[in-house]
Amino acid sequence: MKLVGKNIIIRDLKYNDLDAYFLYGQDPNVGPNAGWKPFTSKEVAGRVLTSQIFNKETYAITLKEKDVLIGTISLYNSSIRKYNKAKSLGFSLNSSYWGYGYMPQAVKLIVAYAFENTDCEVLELGHHIENYRSKRVAEKCGFTFDGTLCKYKKLYNGRLVTACFYSMTKEDYERMKKNESDIKDKI
């Protein structure tokens, strides 16, 4: 897969992403916000990267100007909804690149891909209740807040977290796309 945005490219993960993958994956500001333990070694990062390459559900986010991984975005079958045309979205970004609008751009690209190139009819995303950055991404990208699940998941460190969930239907996506087109036509 290769999706091109204004400042970023979403592409398949590669083995030569390991150095950048380890760099952002060891950051204590990244993994815990997404629910995973920061990488303790390059070997651990390599095993996780290899698994993600084989699963073909997680993609690299790179800057357009250089092909260096700055984060990842995943599109996979929903584990919450018992409906085979529902997909889940997950994402994480090197904290050095927070605040530049890269993640909303990546999410919008993957949303368009999911609704225009797969049989997906519902997209969902979730975040830990205290992860305000992911909340803002969901809001900026037009997802609808569905609710919270108390004590949703036990993390690697044994802590139980409450999670917030959002969704977007294919009809929501089509309506947003039409509204954006209508606005551009008026300008």
Side-chain angles (χ1 to χ4, degrees), residues 9 23 28 32 40 51 68 83 119 125 127 136 141 167 174 180:
I9 292 175
L23 178 69
T40 54
S51 171
V68 175
Y83 176 58
D119 67 348
L125 69 82
H127 64 80
R136 287 295 300 139
C141 294
S167 64
E174 293 294 338
E180 288 174 7

Side-chain angles (χ1 to χ4, degrees), residues 4-184:
V4 180
K6 180 181 176 189
N7 309 88
I8 62 164
I9 292 175
I10 296 175
R11 61 155 172 80
D12 292 331
L13 286 167
K14 302 184 285 193
Y15 292 107
N16 63 0
D17 288 325
L18 180 57
D19 289 338
Y21 189 73
F22 174 60
L23 178 69
Y24 103 93
Q26 69 180 350
D27 185 336
N29 294 313
V30 176
N33 280 325
W36 42 271
K37 183 178 180 178
F39 298 144
T40 54
S41 69
K42 197 180 269 192
E43 180 183 329
V44 170
R47 285 196 307 267
V48 175
L49 178 63
T50 298
S51 171
Q52 290 182 332
I53 289 170
F54 282 121
N55 287 338
K56 297 186 183 297
E57 295 176 332
T58 301
Y59 307 95
I61 301 170
T62 68
L63 293 177
K64 207 173 194 180
E65 67 216 28
K66 56 185 176 178
D67 188 30
V68 175
L69 179 140
I70 63 167
T72 58
I73 190 161
S74 302
L75 182 65
Y76 51 95
N77 290 328
S78 172
S79 61
I80 297 172
R81 287 178 167 84
K82 303 305 178 201
Y83 176 58
N84 68 350
K85 292 188 179 183
K87 300 273 187 203
S88 291
L89 208 75
F91 48 82
S92 57
L93 188 68
N94 182 321
S95 63
S96 299
Y97 297 94
W98 290 357
Y100 294 98
Y102 297 133
M103 194 51 74
Q105 192 178 151
V107 168
K108 288 177 182 178
L109 285 169
I110 210 83
V111 165
Y113 172 81
F115 287 129
E116 294 178 13
N117 298 289
T118 75
D119 67 348
C120 181
E121 293 180 0
V122 180
L123 261 178
E124 66 188 18
L125 69 82
H127 64 80
H128 302 160
I129 197 163
E130 66 277 350
N131 187 339
Y132 297 105
R133 284 181 175 83
S134 290
K135 176 184 179 183
R136 287 295 300 139
V137 170
E139 292 169 347
K140 287 179 182 180
C141 294
F143 281 79
T144 301
F145 179 68
D146 288 334
T148 59
L149 286 175
C150 295
K151 297 183 180 184
Y152 168 68
K153 179 168 73 171
K154 186 183 277 193
L155 298 182
Y156 62 91
N157 59 5
R159 187 169 71 99
L160 286 171
V161 294
T162 295
C164 299
F165 288 90
Y166 302 78
S167 64
M168 180 185 297
T169 65
K170 189 168 188 171
E171 293 80 14
D172 294 336
Y173 169 73
E174 293 294 338
R175 198 170 24 260
M176 282 188 336
K177 192 172 151 185
K178 183 180 179 337
N179 289 342
E180 288 174 7
S181 175
D182 289 347
I183 291 169
K184 286 179 185 174

